[in-house]
Amino acid sequence: MRAQFLTTVLRVASRPTFVASTARTAPLLVRNSSGHAQESFESFSERYVNFFQNAEDLFEVQRGLNNCFAHDLVPSPSVVEAAVRAARRVNDYATAIRVFEGVKEKVENRQQYELYLQELKPLRDELGLTLKEELYPSSS
């Protein structure tokens, strides 16, 4: 009797079970990104202008800037203006200045950056923004 019990236990233990085989396999999760439509530059600009106009605190402004500058394009002057106004609305001077530093890093050359500065000069005068290049001309 004991030998028969031992044989049965060994036979059952040697069989693969369904639970053991499924526990070893990891689920395969795939997310296809081909279903997304391309966003036009105009709709991108409109989306971020609306976002910055409705931002209520510094965290939202900085999150929006991070998302906006993560794209492979330079934001339009209207987006930059909305971002700077949002930064000043939440009373953060440093973030307003850093918006211009972000634009400087995103543009291809110095002439493009100068065009942004020229177009946004009335905004900078209105909000009293002094850029890093104006404070430290030798370091730029």
Side-chain angles (χ1 to χ4, degrees):
M1 174 88 169
R2 189 170 195 185
Q4 184 183 7
F5 176 74
L6 185 59
T7 308
T8 305
V9 169
L10 290 175
R11 191 172 354 129
V12 170
S14 67
R15 280 190 229 157
T17 62
F18 179 74
V19 174
S21 66
T22 58
R24 290 184 210 145
T25 60
L28 181 62
L29 301 175
V30 177
R31 193 168 81 185
N32 296 328
S33 62
S34 62
H36 298 284
Q38 282 288 58
E39 184 177 28
S40 69
F41 184 73
E42 291 76 22
S43 64
F44 172 86
S45 297
E46 182 181 341
R47 179 168 56 106
Y48 276 102
V49 166
N50 289 334
F51 178 85
F52 287 122
Q53 287 174 347
N54 297 320
E56 295 180 2
D57 62 0
L58 180 60
F59 176 78
E60 283 187 53
V61 172
Q62 290 177 341
R63 181 179 60 123
L65 286 169
N66 190 27
N67 292 338
C68 180
F69 280 100
H71 291 275
D72 191 24
L73 51 83
V74 182
S76 67
S78 62
V79 173
V80 173
E81 179 179 353
V84 170
R85 287 189 185 280
R88 293 301 286 149
R89 187 175 60 247
V90 298
N91 199 24
D92 192 26
Y93 185 84
T95 299
I97 299 301
R98 287 190 182 105
V99 171
F100 286 98
E101 292 177 12
V103 170
K104 184 177 181 179
E105 291 297 319
K106 291 292 279 187
V107 295
E108 292 180 7
N109 53 44
R110 182 76 179 170
Q111 290 84 11
Q112 288 179 346
Y113 181 60
E114 293 295 332
L115 290 173
Y116 269 87
L117 292 181
Q118 183 180 9
E119 185 166 343
L120 297 169
K121 177 106 173 97
L123 173 72
R124 292 186 303 134
D125 292 340
E126 175 188 341
L127 298 178
L129 300 177
T130 306
L131 299 180
K132 183 179 171 183
E133 295 87 20
E134 296 168 346
L135 290 175
Y136 307 105
S138 61
S139 66
S140 57

